[in-house]
Structures are given as structure tokens and as C-alpha cells.
Amino acid sequence: MEDGEKAAVTALDLFSKYDYDLSWKFALICKLDRSSISFLLLDKILHIFEILGSGVPTLTYSILILPFTSYFRFYLSFSTAQIFDIFSQFAVKNFFKRKRPTYKDNSDMFFTHGPDKFSFPSGHCSRMTMFWYLSFCLMDTSSVEYQVLAAVFAVITVSRVFMGRHYISDLVGGAALGLFNGMFAWHITWLH
């Protein structure tokens, strides 16, 4: 191995260790006594956010509302954006195949199949960042509705580390992918 290759491997190892250690500091659910009221309450709340941020309910809602809405074109575009986001996440996850954090048993995750068992990038973070970007483009950012949506998107995103499902770098990768997907959806589909 050349000196440059050794330095690159060492830098990557250092980054991975720092990412692991920092993510562990924020993995709140992993540090609580499983029989405590705090654990049970936090676990239930975070699971609700996990389900809310999953692609299954968000895409199902968008598709089911299509025949009943006067905003048919919007919801069709929004559903198309979500499908693109899901496929792009799966492609990137399948390329990197980064394992999820080992400090949490992730067998209770909601609806994980195929590449979704991998950690990088966070699909919830990608989806929430895409939703945030589209909301930013479509809504008055000073409105209460926008502020509430942005807060929910942020909580869903950080809950992934709190639950021990992802490393912080997974969230950064998910945010970058979600921003790209949001821009793509905004400029390519009929959303504007």
C-alpha cells in the first residue's frame, strides 16, 4: 500500500470512529433502562415519528388522496417525487451498503426491506429534506403551517440518531440526497 493510500485509509478510519462516537452520544434510546417509564415513553414517541417519516404512509396518503382532491396535479407530482426519492435512496444504499449502528437492535424497525436494511443515506432524512424543500418553495415560510411542518421534519430527521438507527453522517448524506431530489422534483415535475 502506498503512503497516500495509507493516509486516506487512516483518515477514513478516523472519520468513521468520530462519526460512531458522536452518533453514540446522541443515541438516547440506547442508554435508557428498557424497563423505565422514560424508555417506554420515549420509545413510543420516537416510533410514531419513525412511522410518520416512512415512505409507506407518506406515499400511500399521496396516492389515495388523488381521486378526491382538486389538487390532482400537485399530488400526482408529489407522489412522483416520492417514488423518485425512494428509488434514489435504494440505489445509493445498495451502492454503499453501510451497516446500521450495532449499539441498537434494529429488528423493530418499521417496514425495512432490501437495501433499506443499510444505513447510508438515511431515507427518512432524505424524504423529510425533500418535503422541507418543496414546502419551502410552495408555502409562505412565515406561516404557522410551514413552521409546524419544518419542526416535524426536523424531529423525524434527528430521531433517527436518537433511536440508534443511523450515524450522523447518514443524516448528512440523506439531507444532501433529499435536497437534490427536492430540487429535481421542483424543477422537473409540475410542482410549480
Side-chain angles (χ1 to χ4, degrees), residues 46 49 150-160 162:
L46 291 177
F49 281 108
V152 168
F153 297 159
V155 169
I156 289 171
T157 297
V158 298
S159 75
R160 309 309 293 153
F162 289 167

Side-chain angles (χ1 to χ4, degrees), residues 79-152:
S79 298
T80 304
Q82 288 184 76
I83 291 167
F84 178 75
D85 182 63
I86 290 168
F87 280 112
S88 64
Q89 289 168 37
F90 277 12
V92 175
K93 283 181 183 241
N94 204 37
F95 177 79
F96 284 100
K97 295 184 179 178
R98 182 181 194 188
K99 298 211 182 303
R100 290 190 181 269
T102 56
Y103 42 76
K104 170 83 165 70
D105 173 22
N106 287 314
S107 62
D108 63 343
M109 283 182 61
F110 178 76
F111 204 77
T112 53
H113 297 286
D116 210 29
K117 67 183 175 205
F118 298 120
S119 187
F120 183 86
S122 167
H124 283 72
C125 186
S126 175
R127 191 171 306 102
M128 293 304 110
T129 303
M130 181 185 73
F131 289 168
W132 166 81
Y133 181 82
L134 296 175
S135 300
F136 178 81
C137 292
L138 291 166
M139 299 175 75
D140 171 12
T141 56
S142 63
S143 71
V144 173
E145 295 87 357
Y146 173 80
Q147 301 296 326
V148 169
L149 281 175
V152 168

